[in-house]
Amino acid sequence: MANEVILLDFWPSMFGMRTRIALREKGVEFEYREEDLRNKSPLLLQMNPIHKKIPVLIHNGKPVNESIIQVQYIDEVWSHKNPILPSDPYQRAQARFWADFIDKKLYDAQRKVWATKGGEQEAGKKDFIEILKTLESELGDKPYFGGDDFGYVDIALIGFYTWFPAYEKFANFSIESEVPKLIAWVKKCLQRESVAKSLPDPEKVTEFVSELRKKFVPE
Amino acid sequence: MADKVILLDFWPSPFGVRARIALREKGVEFEYREENLRDKSPLLLQMNPVYKKIPVLIHNGKPVCESMNVVQYIDEVWSDKNPILPSDPYQRAQARFWVDFVDTKLYEPADKIWQTKGEEQETAKKEYIEALKILESELGDKPYFGGDTFGFVDIAMTGYYSWFEASEKLANFSIEPECPTLMASAKRCLQRESVVKSLHDSEKILAFAYKIRKIYCV
């Protein structure tokens, strides 16, 4: 039976970007469907009734939800090329730990950077920088988080980069000056075809965030 | 080289319980070390510098942190018996999804039940039951979340099952009438040898919960 793969997604989502990259790393043909999050499709609500969120990966009619779970699923189903998780159990545990760290810490911190102002934003900015520094320290001298090969943690993190100019604009700081090695890693990742094809233009993301910010921070 | 396995843990922790159960499911010999969370050992701080939390599994000197990450690691290293995750990728994705649901939707209300009182506790109770009902619906007619066999989601839930009695007493409610089939599965899990050996009795947990409430001035 031919593989039918549909991805329900929203273009600026740093979570959707993970799944796009993983599918492209594996050379999987898929149908990308843009969701309007203010008017979610019946398919989205049916395929992710618990959280009603994107991305939703639908493989031969069966849904897989949560981006980091989708990346693991993609790696396991299309296991013949470009392994995403390492084969060694200890290295896998480390990769999962760091992807989980990104999900637990980075999302909430970055949200404060663009969706708040004043003291709350300053505190958010500090947290955000500290988290990026922790990640930069984990990267160390390695070309990618997993070592020589692009993998799981790189995929988990890279989408956030498209939001960096928005963070810098609204919280008035330079991310590169805080974490130069991390930015060097970003540039390396952007040269990868799966990444370049899956990430939106950061300028467009900044415009989008600008509009969104108005809802949270009336000027 | 013989395996050396150390578990840094804290006896009432519903997260530590998960690691203990997984090790026992696999028949792994391990050294259990009790941590005093108000005076964490240098080893804990060295092995989990990011979160400084238990449980930490130290396998031949190398640390693995975060309870469900520890469980997956144990499943992959000691893969010869009692598989914890299913072998089918789709079933694995479903198991991971439900564990994520357990950790995101049960955790906060469960905590608030024993850390708060009055209206805040009532709200927590409602959210907790709502989440348990969703889990019960997912369980359906199966004896375990894993189907016929005790697995990944059951291990995640057993930590919470061990706190059921304490939660019920603290917030004055009963889970069984709300979620009878989930309770039946819980009882089944709580009778499993690896679980019995890994849990302290509910009286001790309740006494601990009351002690903590005093600290939170509840």
Side-chain angles (χ1 to χ4, degrees):
Chain A
M1 178 169 80
N3 268 314
E4 191 195 45
V5 181
I6 298 170
L7 179 64
L8 306 183
D9 202 347
F10 179 51
W11 68 270
S13 163
M14 59 283 264
F15 302 104
M17 289 174 213
R18 295 166 167 180
T19 313
R20 291 170 226 166
I21 293 170
L23 288 166
R24 290 187 169 110
E25 280 289 310
K26 300 291 189 169
V28 176
E29 299 267 347
F30 66 100
E31 181 192 336
Y32 178 97
R33 287 196 200 170
E34 192 69 42
E35 282 284 332
D36 175 357
L37 298 186
R38 290 156 308 174
N39 186 20
K40 294 172 179 177
S41 71
L43 185 63
L44 171 55
L45 300 175
Q46 180 201 341
M47 292 283 152
N48 191 357
I50 302 285
H51 301 303
K52 305 177 174 52
K53 286 182 175 181
I54 57 89
V56 180
L57 182 73
I58 310 173
H59 183 202
N60 295 331
K62 300 201 295 187
V64 178
N65 294 309
E66 295 302 300
S67 62
I68 211 68
I69 293 174
Q70 289 160 359
V71 172
Q72 291 183 77
Y73 175 78
I74 290 164
D75 196 33
E76 290 173 14
V77 171
W78 291 278
S79 53
H80 58 294
K81 86 183 249 200
N82 285 354
I84 291 173
L85 270 159
S87 51
D88 169 68
Y90 186 74
Q91 296 307 326
R92 290 160 76 84
Q94 296 315 298
R96 288 186 179 121
F97 176 87
W98 286 105
D100 178 68
F101 174 83
I102 290 163
D103 278 350
K104 277 192 167 79
K105 298 281 191 180
L106 191 59
Y107 182 71
D108 286 343
Q110 62 86 42
R111 200 168 192 289
K112 289 214 171 98
V113 174
W114 65 262
T116 68
K117 61 178 179 178
E120 205 184 342
Q121 191 188 45
E122 277 307 304
K125 191 164 95 185
K126 261 182 83 181
D127 271 345
F128 177 73
I129 292 174
E130 211 179 286
I131 290 162
L132 288 187
K133 285 188 162 162
T134 301
L135 287 163
E136 187 182 59
S137 163
E138 172 56 23
L139 177 68
D141 291 325
K142 308 193 295 290
Y144 298 106
F145 280 90
D148 288 326
D149 299 312
F150 181 78
Y152 193 64
V153 183
D154 309 288
I155 292 177
L157 185 57
I158 190 64
F160 285 88
Y161 160 72
T162 58
W163 287 60
F164 280 11
Y167 307 147
E168 290 175 322
K169 177 176 175 174
F170 296 117
N172 194 29
F173 69 123
S174 157
I175 295 177
E176 183 152 16
S177 60
E178 302 283 353
V179 284
K181 281 190 173 164
L182 201 64
I183 297 299
W185 162 83
V186 166
K187 293 182 175 153
K188 200 180 287 118
C189 290
L190 290 175
Q191 284 165 13
R192 219 168 159 80
E193 195 183 339
S194 64
V195 176
K197 284 190 159 163
S198 302
L199 263 45
D201 178 353
E203 264 186 48
K204 292 214 162 82
V205 175
T206 303
E207 270 169 43
F208 165 77
V209 179
S210 229
E211 281 306 303
L212 203 57
R213 184 175 160 80
K214 288 178 188 163
K215 293 194 182 133
F216 296 93
V217 186
E219 294 296 351
Chain B
M1 175 171 81
D3 270 325
K4 186 167 158 72
V5 181
I6 299 171
L7 181 67
L8 305 182
D9 202 351
F10 178 52
W11 69 269
S13 164
F15 305 104
V17 160
R18 296 162 165 185
R20 290 170 228 163
I21 293 171
L23 287 166
R24 291 190 168 105
E25 284 287 311
K26 301 290 189 171
V28 178
E29 298 267 348
F30 67 100
E31 179 191 337
Y32 177 96
R33 286 196 201 169
E34 191 68 43
E35 282 286 332
N36 176 358
L37 298 187
R38 287 160 304 173
D39 185 15
K40 293 173 180 177
S41 71
L43 185 64
L44 171 55
L45 300 177
Q46 180 202 340
M47 292 283 151
N48 191 357
V50 174
Y51 298 117
K52 305 175 176 53
K53 285 182 173 181
I54 58 87
V56 180
L57 184 78
I58 309 173
H59 184 202
N60 295 331
K62 300 200 293 187
V64 181
C65 304
E66 294 299 292
S67 63
M68 290 323 284
N69 196 20
V70 170
V71 173
Q72 286 193 81
Y73 175 78
I74 291 166
D75 196 33
E76 289 175 12
V77 172
W78 291 279
S79 54
D80 50 310
K81 83 183 255 201
N82 285 355
I84 292 172
L85 270 159
S87 51
D88 170 69
Y90 187 75
Q91 296 308 324
R92 291 158 77 82
Q94 297 313 299
R96 288 180 177 131
F97 174 86
W98 286 104
V99 164
D100 177 71
F101 177 88
V102 169
D103 279 347
T104 47
K105 299 290 188 181
L106 277 191
Y107 178 71
E108 262 189 50
D111 251 15
K112 288 219 168 98
I113 282 173
W114 57 270
Q115 282 172 18
T116 67
K117 57 182 177 174
E119 268 226 50
E120 213 181 334
Q121 193 189 52
E122 280 302 304
T123 305
K125 202 162 90 181
K126 283 200 182 91
E127 281 173 12
Y128 190 61
I129 299 217
E130 214 177 277
L132 290 179
K133 284 186 158 163
I134 292 174
L135 284 159
E136 186 176 64
S137 166
E138 169 58 22
L139 177 67
D141 291 327
K142 311 193 293 289
Y144 299 102
F145 281 96
D148 288 324
T149 48
F150 182 76
F152 197 56
V153 184
D154 306 288
I155 292 180
M157 283 300 289
T158 301
Y160 288 97
Y161 295 153
S162 70
W163 272 79
F164 269 5
E165 267 191 58
S167 303
E168 285 173 320
K169 292 215 165 83
L170 291 173
N172 194 28
F173 71 121
S174 174
I175 295 172
E176 185 148 16
E178 304 278 359
C179 302
T181 46
L182 186 68
M183 273 309 267
S185 183
K187 284 175 183 163
R188 214 171 277 126
C189 292
L190 291 170
Q191 281 163 13
R192 211 171 162 79
E193 192 185 341
S194 63
V195 175
V196 169
K197 288 190 161 161
S198 302
L199 283 185
H200 293 264
D201 69 61
S202 40
E203 294 282 321
K204 255 185 105 175
I205 291 175
L206 184 61
F208 170 78
Y210 279 128
K211 209 169 97 175
I212 293 294
R213 271 171 87 77
K214 282 212 180 99
I215 294 172
Y216 277 90
C217 304
V218 182

